Amino acid sequence: MIQRIKERKLLVIAFLILAAYLAPLFILQENAHIRIHDNLDSNLAWYKVLARSGKMFGALNSVIPQVINGLPRNAFGTEYSGIVWLFALFPTMIAYGLSQALTRVVAFIGMYLLLKKHLLRGKKWEFIQVGTSLAFSLTPFWPSGMLSTLGMPFALWAFLNIRNGEAFWKSYLVLTLLPLYSSIVLGFFFFLSAMGIFWLWDVLRGRGWNVRFFLAIFYMTSIYMLVEYRLVYSFLYTTELNSRDEYFHAHLTFWHAVRLAFKNYLLGHTHDMTVHGLIILPVTLIAIYFVYSQKLWQQEKIFVFLFIFNIFLSFWYAFWFYKGWLPIIKRFHFMDTFNFARYHFLRPLVIYAGFALALKILSVQGKSWARAAKWLIAAQLVFLALFNDEIIYHEKPTVKEFYAEDLFKEIKNYIGEPQKEYRVASIGIHPAISQYNGFYTLDTYNNFYPLRYKHQFRKIIEKELKKNGIVRTYFDQWGGRCYIFTSQLGKRYMIKKDSKRHLKNLQLNTNIFKKMGGRYIFSSLPIDNAGQNKLILEKTFETKNSAWKIYLYKVM
């Protein structure tokens, strides 16, 4: 009874800490600071564009007219994703806060159940179970990934239950619901393939075919195929080439790949940040030393596996970009269009499960080590708290300043025509800002779009690309950001209103721009040779609540 009360107290404290971590999003709303890269500059605007388009349930071959004169509807993903509906039903920051809360709560529950049931059984490990689960739920995950990485512990808990013939309906409920709030390409393809290897390993070790385990893997995969039917259709049946067909990833030398492997092992990746370098990594290294010195290889075989597997994932990630793959890639084109490096999405699960087991190994070394283990959990929680968006991005624009709705409303009213009647593009700011504010853009940032459009758009910026090899390679060998790049600004598209710079010697093909329907350019800097580019400055716009100053240029 006393033990259960202690557990409940720990759980209440954990949820209070989680609530405090999330509080700034709900208190500050649009005045909050949140991640910009692959978030404000893309996904949040995409949800808004999709909801406004009336094409939520659009046909497989339908398009979104607001983007690049007709972005394929399938580029915005499935309508059966929960995050799409949150942003369709609620204002942006309410939806964002709810998504963060849902993801982090489920992440906590999933890791807690996994540790308690399968990896770290026993009442005496309650503090480590709860503390590690809370730490895992506070990691600065990629927001639009939803439960693609943070849902993996819950899925593993369910699969291990089914593998052992336990908690059947609860486990299948988890496997049914997770695909509605996660992405197969942003995490679960790699997790499910790992589960397939796990099942095969059981077979090879003589543990039988375990049909129920295999069927569970097949079941969850099938749910994903149904939910992600647009992706399946695009992959199997779309014949038109898209921008990913020019994606080129194998460019690193051997030693550059080795360096990237160590960098990933120590620092992680922007899409699955684990904040493990300062505390978790030393803890796991100390634990592996105890395993080695005390010959605990068999007793701690799960920890040893996770330790080695974590290293392997970093090297797999890095060496996916090794140019030694080129002969194989030339034969199998899908290896260039699909990013198999993303097995690193397994690392948050691997690192934090390993952290819990490492703390257990430390705790059994004596009372002082047991006390130290608790302080190490507390230290990791404090460290993660410092990675709260409101702290990390406090020098970046707030959501309100970034999307600058008042500013763009002024521009819209000044132009005075229905937004669908003309096209715009931006220089020095993300086109997602214009899209969020209802403008029809020729520039965009998307996972894929027609390759013919990329080639057509390239003609606008061809002379600028010739002058800057970095942006030329960036555009030609990837091109996800179909922006009006300039040689002067390079890959800088966050030029704030306090900038004193001018664009000099700009060379754009505005004839092509106009032919594609372009009429206005929103520039964050004045263009000194606007006339040479057949542009005329109409008006300058600036508001108190905007991060930008917009120079509105019209094509002559």
Side-chain angles (χ1 to χ4, degrees):
M1 184 67 180
I2 295 175
Q3 202 70 31
R4 180 165 290 185
I5 293 173
K6 179 185 174 184
E7 180 186 25
R8 288 178 179 173
K9 284 183 178 179
L10 287 172
L11 290 173
V12 168
I13 292 170
F15 279 109
L16 288 174
I17 293 172
L18 190 52
Y21 186 90
L22 292 164
L25 292 174
F26 294 96
I27 295 171
L28 298 174
Q29 293 287 301
E30 287 190 328
N31 293 314
H33 297 84
I34 64 175
R35 175 180 173 138
I36 292 174
H37 175 64
D38 284 351
N39 195 39
L40 284 174
D41 70 349
S42 48
N43 294 78
L44 269 61
W46 298 349
Y47 302 137
K48 182 103 170 180
V49 169
L50 179 59
R52 195 167 45 211
S53 71
K55 297 291 180 70
M56 184 88 81
F57 293 93
L60 288 167
N61 60 351
S62 61
V63 298
I64 309 293
Q66 188 185 338
V67 183
I68 66 170
N69 288 328
L71 178 73
R73 164 63 186 86
N74 295 345
F76 280 151
T78 180
E79 61 269 37
Y80 298 115
S81 173
I83 198 168
V84 169
W85 284 99
L86 279 180
F87 280 86
L89 296 173
F90 297 101
T92 297
M93 286 310 293
I94 293 292
Y96 189 83
L98 290 173
S99 180
Q100 286 278 312
L102 175 62
T103 302
R104 295 188 185 281
V105 168
V106 172
F108 174 85
I109 295 171
M111 180 60 83
Y112 178 66
L113 291 176
L114 176 65
L115 295 175
K116 185 178 181 181
K117 173 74 174 177
H118 297 289
L119 299 184
L120 196 60
R121 294 183 178 183
K123 294 291 184 181
K124 64 178 179 178
W125 307 121
E126 283 176 347
F127 192 90
I128 295 177
Q129 291 166 355
V130 175
T132 303
S133 301
L134 178 59
F136 178 74
S137 71
L138 295 182
T139 54
F141 71 102
W142 178 42
S144 289
M146 303 165 284
L147 288 165
S148 300
T149 54
L150 295 195
M152 287 182 187
F154 218 163
L156 183 57
W157 169 83
F159 278 123
L160 291 176
N161 289 341
I162 294 169
R163 176 175 177 261
N164 298 334
E166 303 168 340
F168 198 74
W169 74 267
K170 292 179 182 178
S171 301
Y172 264 95
L173 181 62
V174 169
L175 299 185
T176 303
L177 294 179
L178 277 175
L180 300 175
Y181 213 76
S182 60
S183 166
I184 191 166
V185 297
L186 298 175
F188 269 92
F189 169 87
F190 311 98
F191 177 83
L192 288 168
S193 60
M195 288 297 99
I197 295 171
F198 185 21
W199 172 82
L200 184 60
W201 179 244
D202 274 352
V203 174
L204 295 175
R205 288 191 301 160
R207 297 194 57 173
W209 292 93
N210 201 335
V211 176
R212 60 176 176 264
F213 185 22
F214 177 82
L215 289 178
I217 298 169
F218 178 79
Y219 173 78
M220 192 179 197
T221 303
S222 300
I223 296 294
Y224 269 115
M225 293 300 99
L226 292 172
V227 171
E228 302 275 9
Y229 75 99
R230 293 184 183 275
L231 179 68
V232 174
Y233 175 84
S234 297
F235 185 76
L236 295 178
Y237 300 110
T238 300
T239 57
E240 183 181 32
L241 296 177
N242 66 62
S243 56
R244 293 194 71 84
D245 285 297
E246 286 189 339
Y247 173 57
F248 178 78
H249 74 273
H251 62 277
L252 293 183
T253 65
F254 179 84
W255 290 112
H256 279 97
V258 170
R259 186 172 67 179
L260 180 60
F262 280 102
K263 179 182 177 182
N264 181 259
Y265 180 71
L266 295 172
L267 302 177
H269 188 277
T270 182
H271 285 153
D272 57 8
M273 288 184 66
T274 46
V275 194
H276 67 280
L278 185 64
I279 295 167
I280 295 179
L281 181 58
V283 167
T284 55
L285 291 173
I286 294 170
I288 202 68
Y289 168 76
F290 283 131
V291 170
Y292 168 77
S293 62
Q294 298 172 16
K295 296 181 172 55
L296 301 173
W297 304 108
Q298 186 60 31
Q299 299 95 309
E300 302 298 341
K301 60 184 178 182
I302 296 177
F303 169 72
V304 173
F305 168 76
L306 293 174
F307 182 86
I308 296 171
F309 190 43
N310 182 34
I311 297 171
F312 169 78
L313 289 172
S314 287
F315 274 83
W316 173 266
Y317 162 74
F319 273 87
W320 183 250
F321 302 99
Y322 173 49
K323 61 184 180 181
W325 284 103
L326 280 175
I328 302 174
I329 291 170
K330 288 178 180 178
R331 293 192 62 186
F332 303 102
H333 181 57
F334 73 91
M335 293 181 69
D336 229 354
T337 57
F338 189 82
N339 190 355
F340 285 95
R342 286 175 172 170
Y343 274 99
H344 68 79
F345 285 148
L346 296 171
R347 292 191 73 219
L349 164 62
V350 171
I351 287 171
Y352 277 85
F355 180 46
L357 295 176
L359 291 168
K360 184 204 76 171
I361 293 170
L362 265 60
S363 296
V364 298
Q365 305 304 314
K367 289 185 179 180
S368 59
W369 279 108
R371 285 194 296 269
K374 293 181 179 180
W375 281 109
L376 287 166
I377 291 175
Q380 179 64 16
L381 291 173
V382 171
F383 194 32
L384 284 163
L386 297 176
F387 277 76
N388 186 289
D389 280 3
E390 200 56 45
I391 297 174
I392 290 293
Y393 301 113
H394 72 280
E395 293 184 351
K396 302 292 185 182
T398 64
V399 177
K400 188 173 188 177
E401 291 169 337
F402 184 86
Y403 284 130
E405 292 183 76
D406 290 344
L407 176 72
F408 282 86
K409 186 177 181 181
E410 284 187 20
I411 297 173
K412 172 189 170 184
N413 291 338
Y414 175 82
I415 293 173
E417 298 179 49
Q419 288 170 304
K420 65 180 180 180
E421 297 299 326
Y422 56 91
R423 301 293 182 266
V424 306
S426 303
I427 297 177
I429 62 169
H430 294 285
I433 300 169
S434 300
Q435 293 169 359
Y436 187 90
N437 285 285
F439 289 94
Y440 284 57
T441 68
L442 293 180
D443 49 351
T444 193
Y445 174 22
N446 285 102
N447 293 321
F448 67 90
Y449 57 93
L451 186 60
R452 55 179 169 77
Y453 186 87
K454 178 185 174 183
H455 292 166
Q456 185 183 21
F457 188 88
R458 191 188 191 282
K459 295 175 183 177
I460 299 173
I461 56 174
E462 184 173 11
K463 291 182 179 179
E464 291 297 311
L465 295 182
K466 284 182 179 179
K467 294 186 287 184
N468 188 319
I470 294 175
V471 291
R472 182 173 65 250
T473 300
Y474 186 64
F475 184 83
D476 288 345
Q477 295 187 9
W478 180 53
R481 293 190 190 272
C482 188
Y483 286 18
I484 293 191
F485 289 107
T486 70
S487 62
Q488 183 180 336
L489 296 180
K491 291 164 64 177
R492 291 185 291 274
Y493 10 79
M494 288 274 292
I495 310 298
K496 296 182 183 179
K497 61 185 176 184
D498 57 357
S499 175
K500 305 300 181 185
R501 302 178 68 181
H502 285 227
L503 278 172
K504 304 175 185 294
N505 303 315
L506 183 66
Q507 291 178 287
L508 300 179
N509 191 331
T510 50
N511 291 328
I512 298 294
F513 179 75
K514 192 170 184 180
K515 186 177 180 181
M516 294 171 69
R519 199 186 305 176
Y520 295 98
I521 287 181
F522 300 160
S523 178
S524 61
L525 295 174
I527 302 171
D528 286 354
N529 63 330
Q532 295 175 17
N533 288 276
K534 300 181 182 178
L535 297 172
I536 183 170
L537 179 63
E538 290 271 304
K539 191 178 178 181
T540 303
F541 296 85
E542 183 179 358
T543 62
K544 180 181 178 181
N545 293 322
S546 167
W548 328 111
K549 183 176 184 178
I550 299 299
Y551 297 84
L552 178 64
Y553 288 93
K554 185 176 182 180
V555 180
M556 285 191 268

